[in-house]
Amino acid sequence: MITMTFESSLQTVNARMDAACQAVGRARHSVQLLAVSKTFSADAVAQIAALGQRDFGENYIQEGVEKITALAALGLTWHCIGPVQGNKTRLVAEHFDWVHSVDRLKIAQRLSDQRPAGLAPLNVCIQVNIDGGAGKAGVPPNEALALAQAVAGLPHLRLRGLMTIPEPAPDFAAALAVHQAAKALFDDLCASGLDLDTLSMGMSADLEAAIQAGSTLVRVGSAIFGSRT
Ligand SMILES: *Cc1c(COP(=O)(O)O)cnc(C)c1O
């Protein structure tokens, strides 16, 4: 029964992504779906994985590591999308494939230093506080280039792009404007010579606006797994 529900919710999200790409003439493969599994069980992840979804995102590092360990045999790709404190960098470096939420050089240096030699470089996005919310995680937009350049020079990281978590927008136009600001910053960084391929933005509520603006990866939790209690 649960699998039936996940099947239809995953299909609905993929259909929304198809329609959003089609509406603006983007190739469907230019946008990737990250299933955000925070608070949901390893068993729920395994059910979604059985439907063909390969990339999963976790906010809470310890919780993520437990699922990564439990599901190691499935060969999934795991993305850390939550805040990374200095005392958690080793767990992230040893277990995850991606981290979207780097906003300080010190954390990036620790991740690079602690990435085990036998693993591929850790894929990294710089989190940008694109709408300037007070007290929010993310580097201010005008500091993104300098941080990105520094991260790009670290040996065991691979800088992939930017990530944003804007405040919920009142309507589509407002969501689009914020996502367009992130896309403009992303384009500026590319024009500065950085080799970036990932713009991580858009969630359950605003993935259409994010795709219209140029997102390459939408992070979707509740629209796949159901609401979090
Ligand atoms: C929880 C979370 C999501 C998914 O949010 P939904 O609204 O459930 O799709 C995406 N990104 C981050 C960083 C999150 O913490």
Side-chain angles (χ1 to χ4, degrees):
M1 287 305 276
I2 291 171
T3 304
M4 293 278 290
T5 307
F6 285 157
E7 189 166 20
S8 68
S9 63
L10 189 63
Q11 270 172 8
T12 299
V13 169
N14 274 300
R16 285 175 63 190
M17 293 174 67
D18 293 349
C21 286
Q22 204 161 26
V24 293
R26 293 187 58 182
R28 177 61 181 81
H29 65 76
S30 69
V31 190
Q32 196 186 353
L33 174 60
L34 179 63
V36 176
S37 42
K38 66 182 178 210
T39 78
F40 292 95
S41 67
D43 182 58
V45 173
Q47 290 183 44
I48 302 282
L51 299 167
Q53 174 65 30
R54 306 305 297 169
D55 287 74
F56 291 86
E58 290 284 337
N59 278 61
Y60 310 107
I61 290 157
Q62 190 67 49
E63 177 192 337
V65 168
E66 284 167 20
K67 289 176 221 177
I68 292 168
T69 305
L71 300 174
L74 299 185
L76 303 173
T77 300
W78 291 92
H79 301 239
C80 173
I81 60 172
V84 182
Q85 309 300 333
N87 62 354
K88 291 280 166 53
T89 51
R90 184 174 297 280
L91 277 176
V92 173
E94 290 181 347
H95 293 278
F96 283 86
D97 303 292
W98 284 71
V99 52
H100 293 223
S101 39
V102 168
D103 63 359
R104 281 177 290 160
L105 183 56
K106 186 166 163 267
I107 293 295
Q109 282 165 332
R110 290 176 65 96
L111 290 168
S112 181
D113 290 345
Q114 294 169 345
R115 183 68 168 170
L119 297 183
L122 182 62
N123 297 290
V124 168
C125 293
I126 305 292
Q127 184 174 349
V128 180
N129 183 1
I130 194 67
D131 52 1
K136 279 181 58 179
V139 71
N142 65 358
E143 295 172 21
L145 175 61
L147 179 57
Q149 285 171 332
V151 169
L154 293 171
H156 304 296
L157 304 184
R158 180 171 168 210
L159 179 66
R160 301 296 295 263
L162 302 180
M163 184 270 248
T164 62
I165 314 177
E167 290 300 305
D171 55 35
F172 184 90
L176 182 62
V178 176
H179 290 315
Q180 284 171 333
K183 169 66 165 146
L185 179 63
F186 178 84
D187 288 345
D188 283 351
L189 268 56
C190 293
S192 301
L194 290 166
D195 182 17
L196 308 180
D197 63 7
T198 302
L199 183 52
S200 167
M201 63 182 188
M203 312 198 299
S204 293
D206 63 350
L207 70 87
E208 285 85 359
I211 288 171
Q212 181 165 333
S215 170
T216 70
L217 182 152
V218 291
R219 307 179 309 267
V220 179
S222 49
I224 296 173
F225 287 92
S227 56
R228 293 178 291 271
T229 47

mmCIF file of all heavy atoms in Angstrom, residues 34 36 38 58-60 81-83 100-101 127 163-165 200 202-206 218-224 226-228, ligand 1:
data_model
loop_
_atom_site.group_PDB
_atom_site.id
_atom_site.type_symbol
_atom_site.label_atom_id
_atom_site.label_comp_id
_atom_site.label_asym_id
_atom_site.label_seq_id
_atom_site.Cartn_x
_atom_site.Cartn_y
_atom_site.Cartn_z
ATOM 1 N N LEU A 34 16.338 15.426 -6.578
ATOM 2 C CA LEU A 34 16.900 14.951 -5.316
ATOM 3 C C LEU A 34 15.729 14.696 -4.364
ATOM 4 O O LEU A 34 14.959 15.614 -4.066
ATOM 5 C CB LEU A 34 17.843 16.003 -4.727
ATOM 6 C CG LEU A 34 18.478 15.646 -3.381
ATOM 7 C CD1 LEU A 34 19.376 14.425 -3.497
ATOM 8 C CD2 LEU A 34 19.278 16.832 -2.843
ATOM 9 N N VAL A 36 14.312 14.285 -0.885
ATOM 10 C CA VAL A 36 14.752 14.682 0.463
ATOM 11 C C VAL A 36 14.055 13.788 1.498
ATOM 12 O O VAL A 36 12.850 13.897 1.721
ATOM 13 C CB VAL A 36 14.462 16.169 0.724
ATOM 14 C CG1 VAL A 36 14.843 16.543 2.152
ATOM 15 C CG2 VAL A 36 15.221 17.036 -0.276
ATOM 16 N N LYS A 38 14.746 13.328 4.808
ATOM 17 C CA LYS A 38 14.877 13.644 6.243
ATOM 18 C C LYS A 38 13.598 13.275 6.991
ATOM 19 O O LYS A 38 12.502 13.532 6.482
ATOM 20 C CB LYS A 38 15.202 15.122 6.442
ATOM 21 C CG LYS A 38 14.089 16.054 6.019
ATOM 22 C CD LYS A 38 14.478 17.520 6.196
ATOM 23 C CE LYS A 38 13.364 18.423 5.710
ATOM 24 N NZ LYS A 38 13.841 19.702 5.202
ATOM 25 N N GLU A 58 19.687 14.476 2.822
ATOM 26 C CA GLU A 58 19.464 14.445 4.270
ATOM 27 C C GLU A 58 19.933 15.749 4.896
ATOM 28 O O GLU A 58 20.988 16.278 4.541
ATOM 29 C CB GLU A 58 20.236 13.272 4.893
ATOM 30 C CG GLU A 58 19.659 11.911 4.535
ATOM 31 C CD GLU A 58 18.383 11.583 5.308
ATOM 32 O OE1 GLU A 58 18.168 12.159 6.397
ATOM 33 O OE2 GLU A 58 17.599 10.750 4.811
ATOM 34 N N ASN A 59 19.161 16.253 5.869
ATOM 35 C CA ASN A 59 19.537 17.475 6.586
ATOM 36 C C ASN A 59 20.356 17.215 7.830
ATOM 37 O O ASN A 59 21.180 18.024 8.212
ATOM 38 C CB ASN A 59 18.288 18.192 7.087
ATOM 39 C CG ASN A 59 17.677 19.015 6.029
ATOM 40 O OD1 ASN A 59 17.277 18.463 5.019
ATOM 41 N ND2 ASN A 59 17.631 20.322 6.226
ATOM 42 N N TYR A 60 19.996 16.138 8.517
ATOM 43 C CA TYR A 60 20.601 15.869 9.826
ATOM 44 C C TYR A 60 21.650 14.789 9.617
ATOM 45 O O TYR A 60 21.343 13.694 9.136
ATOM 46 C CB TYR A 60 19.519 15.470 10.834
ATOM 47 C CG TYR A 60 18.371 16.448 10.823
ATOM 48 C CD1 TYR A 60 17.145 16.106 10.261
ATOM 49 C CD2 TYR A 60 18.541 17.746 11.302
ATOM 50 C CE1 TYR A 60 16.102 17.023 10.196
ATOM 51 C CE2 TYR A 60 17.509 18.673 11.242
ATOM 52 C CZ TYR A 60 16.291 18.302 10.689
ATOM 53 O OH TYR A 60 15.268 19.211 10.609
ATOM 54 N N ILE A 81 22.335 18.220 2.837
ATOM 55 C CA ILE A 81 21.761 19.521 2.478
ATOM 56 C C ILE A 81 21.497 20.386 3.704
ATOM 57 O O ILE A 81 20.919 21.456 3.587
ATOM 58 C CB ILE A 81 20.465 19.359 1.643
ATOM 59 C CG1 ILE A 81 19.396 18.590 2.428
ATOM 60 C CG2 ILE A 81 20.768 18.655 0.317
ATOM 61 C CD1 ILE A 81 18.040 18.566 1.718
ATOM 62 N N GLY A 82 21.929 19.931 4.868
ATOM 63 C CA GLY A 82 21.689 20.682 6.098
ATOM 64 C C GLY A 82 22.958 21.321 6.620
ATOM 65 O O GLY A 82 24.044 21.115 6.089
ATOM 66 N N PRO A 83 22.825 22.105 7.699
ATOM 67 C CA PRO A 83 23.985 22.796 8.260
ATOM 68 C C PRO A 83 25.074 21.816 8.688
ATOM 69 O O PRO A 83 24.769 20.748 9.224
ATOM 70 C CB PRO A 83 23.415 23.526 9.478
ATOM 71 C CG PRO A 83 21.944 23.327 9.467
ATOM 72 C CD PRO A 83 21.583 22.349 8.423
ATOM 73 N N HIS A 100 25.698 20.241 -0.096
ATOM 74 C CA HIS A 100 25.170 21.442 -0.775
ATOM 75 C C HIS A 100 25.313 22.689 0.081
ATOM 76 O O HIS A 100 24.998 23.781 -0.388
ATOM 77 C CB HIS A 100 23.668 21.271 -1.060
ATOM 78 C CG HIS A 100 23.329 20.228 -2.063
ATOM 79 N ND1 HIS A 100 22.387 20.410 -3.044
ATOM 80 C CD2 HIS A 100 23.805 18.981 -2.247
ATOM 81 C CE1 HIS A 100 22.289 19.324 -3.784
ATOM 82 N NE2 HIS A 100 23.133 18.426 -3.314
ATOM 83 N N SER A 101 25.685 22.525 1.325
ATOM 84 C CA SER A 101 25.476 23.571 2.322
ATOM 85 C C SER A 101 26.787 24.125 2.889
ATOM 86 O O SER A 101 26.864 24.429 4.068
ATOM 87 C CB SER A 101 24.607 23.001 3.447
ATOM 88 O OG SER A 101 24.986 21.653 3.733
ATOM 89 N N GLN A 127 26.400 27.315 -0.423
ATOM 90 C CA GLN A 127 25.066 27.814 -0.084
ATOM 91 C C GLN A 127 25.093 29.332 -0.027
ATOM 92 O O GLN A 127 25.911 29.923 0.680
ATOM 93 C CB GLN A 127 24.596 27.235 1.253
ATOM 94 C CG GLN A 127 23.166 27.650 1.583
ATOM 95 C CD GLN A 127 22.626 26.985 2.837
ATOM 96 O OE1 GLN A 127 23.222 26.056 3.368
ATOM 97 N NE2 GLN A 127 21.483 27.462 3.297
ATOM 98 N N MET A 163 23.806 26.552 -4.085
ATOM 99 C CA MET A 163 22.545 26.084 -3.515
ATOM 100 C C MET A 163 21.865 27.238 -2.802
ATOM 101 O O MET A 163 22.533 28.068 -2.179
ATOM 102 C CB MET A 163 22.817 24.946 -2.537
ATOM 103 C CG MET A 163 21.577 24.314 -1.938
ATOM 104 S SD MET A 163 21.020 25.085 -0.414
ATOM 105 C CE MET A 163 21.356 23.780 0.745
ATOM 106 N N THR A 164 20.546 27.322 -2.922
ATOM 107 C CA THR A 164 19.787 28.359 -2.218
ATOM 108 C C THR A 164 18.563 27.759 -1.529
ATOM 109 O O THR A 164 17.998 26.768 -1.999
ATOM 110 C CB THR A 164 19.284 29.467 -3.171
ATOM 111 O OG1 THR A 164 18.388 28.882 -4.126
ATOM 112 C CG2 THR A 164 20.429 30.150 -3.899
ATOM 113 N N ILE A 165 18.159 28.393 -0.438
ATOM 114 C CA ILE A 165 16.889 28.051 0.246
ATOM 115 C C ILE A 165 16.157 29.366 0.512
ATOM 116 O O ILE A 165 16.206 29.896 1.626
ATOM 117 C CB ILE A 165 17.114 27.339 1.595
ATOM 118 C CG1 ILE A 165 18.168 26.234 1.496
ATOM 119 C CG2 ILE A 165 15.785 26.796 2.127
ATOM 120 C CD1 ILE A 165 18.480 25.552 2.831
ATOM 121 N N SER A 200 21.412 24.217 -7.356
ATOM 122 C CA SER A 200 20.504 23.445 -6.509
ATOM 123 C C SER A 200 19.470 24.378 -5.907
ATOM 124 O O SER A 200 19.748 25.095 -4.940
ATOM 125 C CB SER A 200 21.350 22.755 -5.413
ATOM 126 O OG SER A 200 20.548 22.226 -4.379
ATOM 127 N N GLY A 202 14.871 25.053 -5.582
ATOM 128 C CA GLY A 202 13.507 24.592 -5.825
ATOM 129 C C GLY A 202 13.181 23.435 -4.898
ATOM 130 O O GLY A 202 14.004 22.531 -4.718
ATOM 131 N N MET A 203 11.998 23.491 -4.283
ATOM 132 C CA MET A 203 11.535 22.451 -3.373
ATOM 133 C C MET A 203 10.100 22.072 -3.781
ATOM 134 O O MET A 203 9.648 22.438 -4.863
ATOM 135 C CB MET A 203 11.627 22.953 -1.925
ATOM 136 C CG MET A 203 12.983 23.585 -1.619
ATOM 137 S SD MET A 203 13.419 23.760 0.131
ATOM 138 C CE MET A 203 12.153 24.810 0.744
ATOM 139 N N SER A 204 9.391 21.365 -2.911
ATOM 140 C CA SER A 204 8.048 20.898 -3.289
ATOM 141 C C SER A 204 7.152 22.036 -3.773
ATOM 142 O O SER A 204 6.401 21.890 -4.735
ATOM 143 C CB SER A 204 7.362 20.215 -2.096
ATOM 144 O OG SER A 204 8.026 19.022 -1.760
ATOM 145 N N ALA A 205 7.232 23.180 -3.080
ATOM 146 C CA ALA A 205 6.273 24.254 -3.344
ATOM 147 C C ALA A 205 6.626 25.108 -4.560
ATOM 148 O O ALA A 205 5.751 25.751 -5.136
ATOM 149 C CB ALA A 205 6.155 25.150 -2.107
ATOM 150 N N ASP A 206 7.900 25.134 -4.951
ATOM 151 C CA ASP A 206 8.320 26.132 -5.949
ATOM 152 C C ASP A 206 9.214 25.545 -7.038
ATOM 153 O O ASP A 206 9.977 26.277 -7.665
ATOM 154 C CB ASP A 206 9.036 27.299 -5.251
ATOM 155 C CG ASP A 206 10.318 26.874 -4.557
ATOM 156 O OD1 ASP A 206 10.565 25.660 -4.447
ATOM 157 O OD2 ASP A 206 11.086 27.758 -4.128
ATOM 158 N N VAL A 218 16.378 19.984 -8.275
ATOM 159 C CA VAL A 218 15.350 20.378 -7.312
ATOM 160 C C VAL A 218 15.364 19.379 -6.155
ATOM 161 O O VAL A 218 15.564 18.183 -6.352
ATOM 162 C CB VAL A 218 13.948 20.481 -7.956
ATOM 163 C CG1 VAL A 218 13.895 21.666 -8.916
ATOM 164 C CG2 VAL A 218 13.533 19.206 -8.658
ATOM 165 N N ARG A 219 15.196 19.916 -4.949
ATOM 166 C CA ARG A 219 15.250 19.100 -3.727
ATOM 167 C C ARG A 219 13.823 18.956 -3.194
ATOM 168 O O ARG A 219 13.253 19.920 -2.682
ATOM 169 C CB ARG A 219 16.126 19.787 -2.673
ATOM 170 C CG ARG A 219 17.535 20.170 -3.176
ATOM 171 C CD ARG A 219 18.313 20.868 -2.062
ATOM 172 N NE ARG A 219 17.563 21.955 -1.460
ATOM 173 C CZ ARG A 219 17.642 23.236 -1.839
ATOM 174 N NH1 ARG A 219 18.482 23.616 -2.801
ATOM 175 N NH2 ARG A 219 16.898 24.151 -1.244
ATOM 176 N N VAL A 220 13.250 17.770 -3.335
ATOM 177 C CA VAL A 220 11.825 17.597 -3.058
ATOM 178 C C VAL A 220 11.614 16.561 -1.961
ATOM 179 O O VAL A 220 12.028 15.409 -2.098
ATOM 180 C CB VAL A 220 11.082 17.181 -4.344
ATOM 181 C CG1 VAL A 220 9.599 16.968 -4.046
ATOM 182 C CG2 VAL A 220 11.265 18.251 -5.430
ATOM 183 N N GLY A 221 11.001 17.002 -0.873
ATOM 184 C CA GLY A 221 10.715 16.110 0.244
ATOM 185 C C GLY A 221 9.248 15.757 0.341
ATOM 186 O O GLY A 221 8.822 14.673 -0.061
ATOM 187 N N SER A 222 8.452 16.688 0.865
ATOM 188 C CA SER A 222 7.068 16.351 1.220
ATOM 189 C C SER A 222 6.231 15.923 0.013
ATOM 190 O O SER A 222 5.338 15.084 0.164
ATOM 191 C CB SER A 222 6.409 17.532 1.944
ATOM 192 O OG SER A 222 6.608 18.725 1.239
ATOM 193 N N ALA A 223 6.488 16.441 -1.169
ATOM 194 C CA ALA A 223 5.687 16.041 -2.330
ATOM 195 C C ALA A 223 5.945 14.587 -2.726
ATOM 196 O O ALA A 223 5.130 13.984 -3.444
ATOM 197 C CB ALA A 223 5.953 16.973 -3.521
ATOM 198 N N ILE A 224 7.050 14.010 -2.245
ATOM 199 C CA ILE A 224 7.309 12.581 -2.506
ATOM 200 C C ILE A 224 6.921 11.732 -1.303
ATOM 201 O O ILE A 224 6.198 10.748 -1.420
ATOM 202 C CB ILE A 224 8.795 12.344 -2.842
ATOM 203 C CG1 ILE A 224 9.177 13.060 -4.152
ATOM 204 C CG2 ILE A 224 9.084 10.840 -2.946
ATOM 205 C CD1 ILE A 224 10.680 13.007 -4.443
ATOM 206 N N GLY A 226 5.408 12.662 1.622
ATOM 207 C CA GLY A 226 4.288 13.068 2.469
ATOM 208 C C GLY A 226 4.773 14.103 3.469
ATOM 209 O O GLY A 226 5.961 14.382 3.564
ATOM 210 N N SER A 227 3.829 14.660 4.229
ATOM 211 C CA SER A 227 4.225 15.745 5.137
ATOM 212 C C SER A 227 4.972 15.184 6.340
ATOM 213 O O SER A 227 4.722 14.062 6.772
ATOM 214 C CB SER A 227 3.011 16.561 5.558
ATOM 215 O OG SER A 227 2.065 15.709 6.136
ATOM 216 N N ARG A 228 5.906 15.998 6.830
ATOM 217 C CA ARG A 228 6.707 15.593 7.989
ATOM 218 C C ARG A 228 5.977 15.988 9.269
ATOM 219 O O ARG A 228 5.436 17.084 9.347
ATOM 220 C CB ARG A 228 8.080 16.276 7.934
ATOM 221 C CG ARG A 228 8.941 15.809 6.793
ATOM 222 C CD ARG A 228 10.265 16.552 6.742
ATOM 223 N NE ARG A 228 10.097 17.945 6.368
ATOM 224 C CZ ARG A 228 10.093 18.404 5.117
ATOM 225 N NH1 ARG A 228 10.259 17.583 4.092
ATOM 226 N NH2 ARG A 228 9.932 19.677 4.871
HETATM 227 C C1 LIG B 1 13.433 19.846 3.856
HETATM 228 C C2 LIG B 1 14.253 20.457 2.770
HETATM 229 C C3 LIG B 1 13.865 20.364 1.422
HETATM 230 C C4 LIG B 1 12.572 19.723 0.970
HETATM 231 O O1 LIG B 1 11.495 20.503 1.354
HETATM 232 P P1 LIG B 1 9.996 20.123 0.894
HETATM 233 O O2 LIG B 1 9.257 21.389 1.058
HETATM 234 O O3 LIG B 1 9.550 19.042 1.806
HETATM 235 O O4 LIG B 1 10.088 19.666 -0.514
HETATM 236 C C5 LIG B 1 14.713 20.885 0.468
HETATM 237 N N1 LIG B 1 15.866 21.497 0.807
HETATM 238 C C6 LIG B 1 16.275 21.610 2.078
HETATM 239 C C7 LIG B 1 17.553 22.272 2.381
HETATM 240 C C8 LIG B 1 15.470 21.107 3.096
HETATM 241 O O5 LIG B 1 15.861 21.258 4.362
#
